[in-house]
Amino acid sequence: MNLLKNQWFLIGAGLCGILILVVLFLVLPNGEVTQPIAFNHKKHRDNNVPCIVCHRFYKEEKRAGIPPVNVCITCHEDVIYPTPEKIKIQNYFSQHKAIPWQQVYKVPGHVFFSHRLHVNRGNLACKSCHGEVGQLEQPVTKQLIPLKMKYCIDCHKTVETIDNPYECIRCHR
Ligand code: HEC
Ligand code: HEC
Ligand code: HEC
Ligand code: HEC
Ligand code: HEC
């Protein structure tokens, strides 16, 4: 009797363990995500669509911004050559639904990070932190360069205007 209970306990504990691993896999920033539309950065770049048309806020704000569907629809309203992926855009738009993009780059809440500061004031290119996103033919599903604390600090060591790159309070507020 006791043994039977034990077995159920072990099975239960095992299942909980698996569930926790699955949840962690989905939540951890380096776990791959799946994106709702097969978005192709390279195709847009080859057609001379600049980053800021879609990521509209990096000059003035902390965030860069992931484009809402009404930005996509400005160019993909009439489809002369419809493709399944373009039809998805129109369906989201006509159903007043947001495209459920999964954000890949995200720092924890205790970290202060600002695009304006780095792109505008620091004059850095996107690829110094995001790698060659503009060359991707598949959507972004994982961080090309893992944006860990060490990566931030290693670059700050090379910045003249930052005197103590290890000062915790600069980034943790
Ligand atoms: C400034 C105009 C513009 C905007 C805004 C725009 N696109 Fe495009 N898109 C293009 C052009 C140009 C092409 C290449 C020609 C074509 O396939 O229609 C293209 C192609 C595509 C394709 C077909 C790619 C392929 O592999 O065949 C998809 C899917 C797509 N865009 C999705 C999106 C999504 C999603 C958004 C919003 C996040 C978006 N586009 C915003 C101009 C734009
Ligand atoms: C100095 C490093 C750095 C540079 C340079 C940089 N980013 Fe980021 N980016 C980050 C970090 C860190 C995050 C996560 C921010 C967060 O969680 O608030 C991020 C998040 C993002 C996101 C998703 C979340 C958001 O902010 O809306 C997009 C899109 C993005 N960056 C685009 C860009 C583009 C486009 C450029 C160039 C104009 C750029 N980034 C330059 C570090 C950088
Ligand atoms: C036509 C719209 C469009 C253009 C132009 C565009 N992007 Fe994006 N970008 C997207 C969309 C949509 C996503 C979310 C889907 C994905 O991950 O591919 C995204 C995702 C990203 C991300 C990952 C954000 C995150 O954390 O999930 C980065 C970084 C990024 N773009 C950088 C760039 C850079 C750099 C350029 C210019 C070279 C650029 N993008 C041009 C639409 C665009
Ligand atoms: C490729 C180089 C580079 C990377 C990577 C980088 N930074 Fe920076 N950072 C800079 C530069 C350059 C400045 C200075 C901008 C200025 O004020 O001229 C700066 C400034 C800052 C400042 C303001 C400093 C102050 O005291 O005024 C903060 C906060 C900051 N970065 C946080 C981060 C975080 C968090 C990350 C990692 C997610 C990061 N940075 C990654 C280059 C980088
Ligand atoms: C240049 C920016 C920057 C500086 C300076 C910095 N950190 Fe961080 N820190 C980050 C970023 C970004 C993360 C989130 C990414 C990661 O976990 O590596 C982080 C994460 C952490 C974490 C959580 C790690 C985890 O595994 O969850 C701790 C703890 C931490 N930092 C402590 C410190 C201490 C202590 C200092 C001062 C000695 C410091 N940091 C200085 C940017 C910075």
Side-chain angles (χ1 to χ4, degrees), residues 41-42 105 126-127 130-137 140 144:
H41 271 89
K42 184 168 186 295
Y105 292 90
C126 312
K127 68 174 168 200
H130 295 299
E132 292 286 357
V133 191
Q135 299 293 340
L136 286 183
E137 295 181 50
V140 186
L144 300 182

Side-chain angles (χ1 to χ4, degrees), residues 107-108 110-111 147-149 152-153 156 165-168 171-172:
V107 291
H110 54 81
V111 175
L147 275 182
K148 291 287 178 198
M149 180 161 111
C152 314
I153 293 176
H156 284 185
Y166 293 100
E167 197 174 43
C168 316
C171 303
H172 296 287

Side-chain angles (χ1 to χ4, degrees), residues 79-152:
V79 178
I80 302 163
Y81 306 105
T83 66
E85 298 308 299
K86 289 182 187 170
I87 288 169
K88 281 191 201 167
I89 301 175
Q90 304 196 323
N91 286 343
Y92 282 118
F93 183 72
S94 61
Q95 293 164 17
H96 305 284
K97 282 191 190 151
I99 304 176
W101 303 115
Q102 304 293 309
Q103 188 172 328
V104 172
Y105 292 90
K106 208 166 183 29
V107 291
H110 54 81
V111 175
F112 175 83
F113 177 81
S114 159
H115 277 90
R116 181 188 68 79
L117 217 90
H118 286 86
V119 178
N120 240 12
R121 226 170 73 192
N123 211 12
L124 291 170
C126 312
K127 68 174 168 200
S128 51
C129 296
H130 295 299
E132 292 286 357
V133 191
Q135 299 293 340
L136 286 183
E137 295 181 50
Q138 302 297 325
V140 186
T141 57
K142 63 168 195 236
Q143 299 184 357
L144 300 182
I145 303 171
L147 275 182
K148 291 287 178 198
M149 180 161 111
K150 184 175 185 303
Y151 191 77
C152 314

Side-chain angles (χ1 to χ4, degrees), residues 39 43-44 47 49 67 71-72 74-76 85-86 89 101:
F39 185 74
K43 193 158 246 176
H44 289 86
N47 280 282
V49 184
V71 169
C72 314
T74 55
C75 295
H76 295 297
E85 298 308 299
K86 289 182 187 170
I89 301 175
W101 303 115

Side-chain angles (χ1 to χ4, degrees), residues 21-32:
L21 283 179
V22 168
V23 168
L24 278 181
F25 180 76
L26 293 174
V27 165
L28 283 179
N30 287 331
E32 286 212 30

